[in-house]
């Protein structure tokens, strides 16, 4: 398996309503990371803090700056060390990676 090339396919595909966080993660965000917790509604994640609408993508997925405009897009996670377990455990199965066209294969 190759190293992750930060293509963002997994984050773009699952970053919206397909993603969840544990109660423990949400509780920790509330105490230690209010900037993440503001995107939580009840026990679900990634809602616009102003409108309350569910976001279509993770608000913490960022397009990395390019040194060369011809380079492929690369993405970063601004909450990488505090990201949900769903994110930390991806990918879990080769068939999942194939289905998602993961570039690590």
């Amino acid at each position: 398996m190759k190293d992750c090339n930060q293509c963002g396919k997994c984050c773009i595909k699952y970053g919206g309503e397909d993603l969840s966080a544990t109660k423990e993660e949400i509780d920790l965000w509330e105490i230690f990371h209010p900037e993440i917790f503001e995107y939580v509604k009840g026990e679900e994640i990634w809602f616009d803090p102003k409108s309350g609408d569910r976001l279509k993508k993770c608000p913490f997925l960022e397009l990395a700056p390019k040194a060369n405009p011809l380079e492929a897009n690369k993405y970063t996670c601004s909450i990488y060390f505090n990201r949900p377990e769903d994110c930390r455990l991806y990918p879990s199965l080769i068939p999942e990676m194939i289905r998602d066209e993961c570039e690590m294969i």
Side-chain angles (χ1 to χ4, degrees):
M1 191 169 344
K2 300 175 196 170
D3 289 336
C4 177
N5 67 1
Q6 297 176 278
C7 72
K9 287 180 181 177
C10 54
C11 297
I12 293 166
K13 181 172 183 171
Y14 296 111
E17 58 195 50
D18 292 327
L19 194 61
S20 63
T22 65
K23 174 147 178 39
E24 292 78 18
E25 288 168 327
I26 292 171
D27 290 345
L28 287 171
W29 292 338
E30 183 176 18
I31 297 166
F32 298 109
H33 298 284
E35 72 282 4
I36 300 172
F37 182 74
E38 71 179 334
Y39 289 89
V40 174
K41 188 176 185 181
E43 292 189 17
E44 295 184 64
I45 59 174
W46 306 169
F47 287 84
D48 183 296
K50 293 180 180 138
S51 70
D53 295 336
R54 183 181 285 279
L55 299 171
K56 301 284 185 214
K57 69 178 194 85
C58 175
F60 303 102
L61 179 65
E62 298 178 350
L63 186 59
K66 293 183 181 185
N68 176 343
L70 301 177
E71 288 180 343
N73 286 339
K74 289 188 176 188
Y75 293 86
T76 60
C77 174
S78 64
I79 61 166
Y80 186 80
F81 295 107
N82 296 295
R83 68 195 189 279
E85 185 176 54
D86 273 5
C87 299
R88 283 182 269 136
L89 296 177
Y90 185 88
S92 58
L93 303 167
I94 297 294
E96 177 181 53
M97 295 171 75
I98 293 168
R99 179 195 66 218
D100 297 342
E101 300 176 12
C102 178
E103 295 183 15
M104 290 171 48
I105 296 178

